[in-house]
Amino acid sequence: MKRKEYEKQLRKLQVELCALQDWVKQAGLRVVVVFEGRDAAGKGGTIKAITERVSPRVFRIVALPAPSDREKGQLYLQRYVAHLPTAGEIVIFDRSWYNRAGVERVMGFCTEEQYRRFLKVCPEFELFIVDGGIQLVKCWLEVSEEAPFLGPHRRSTASVEAEPH
């Protein structure tokens, strides 16, 4: 997609996001959007494009650093619960609890037992979120190997798969 066409489409989508924002606020909805994907897949750029024209009072970005010593002593998912949305809010997680099954496992930051426990608890945690009235949207971003290297413009070629719950 040419840059001009990309910007035109982006503006249209940002108008839609503003309408979504108004609806979420008015209806008192609670929404969680999880962005996951490989490094350099465009998560940060996508989140920036989504949030650059909306209110930070409605859209909140959560990008948690490595857990502190205190958080390491807590239940793994406990640190995420504190960031779940209140009425009229959309929380965007730039990476999420799935770090346990991906980065932490690969890098040796969790044990095999912690990983297996996560696989058991994660669906229950997400059911807890949804049953609590929170809309959960999970997005995986990945740049295909066929996509030519476009530097900063590569993000516009990323495929997005959304799995609403």
Side-chain angles (χ1 to χ4, degrees), residues 142-163:
E142 185 170 329
V143 177
S144 70
E145 294 201 19
E146 295 82 35
F149 179 74
L150 300 173
H153 304 294
R154 177 176 56 184
R155 286 165 176 78
S156 65
T157 66
S159 65
V160 178
E161 295 177 19
E163 181 185 325

Side-chain angles (χ1 to χ4, degrees), residues 10-21:
L10 179 60
R11 295 297 172 250
K12 285 181 184 179
L13 293 172
Q14 287 172 332
V15 168
E16 291 295 320
L17 284 168
C18 288
L20 172 71
Q21 163 185 273

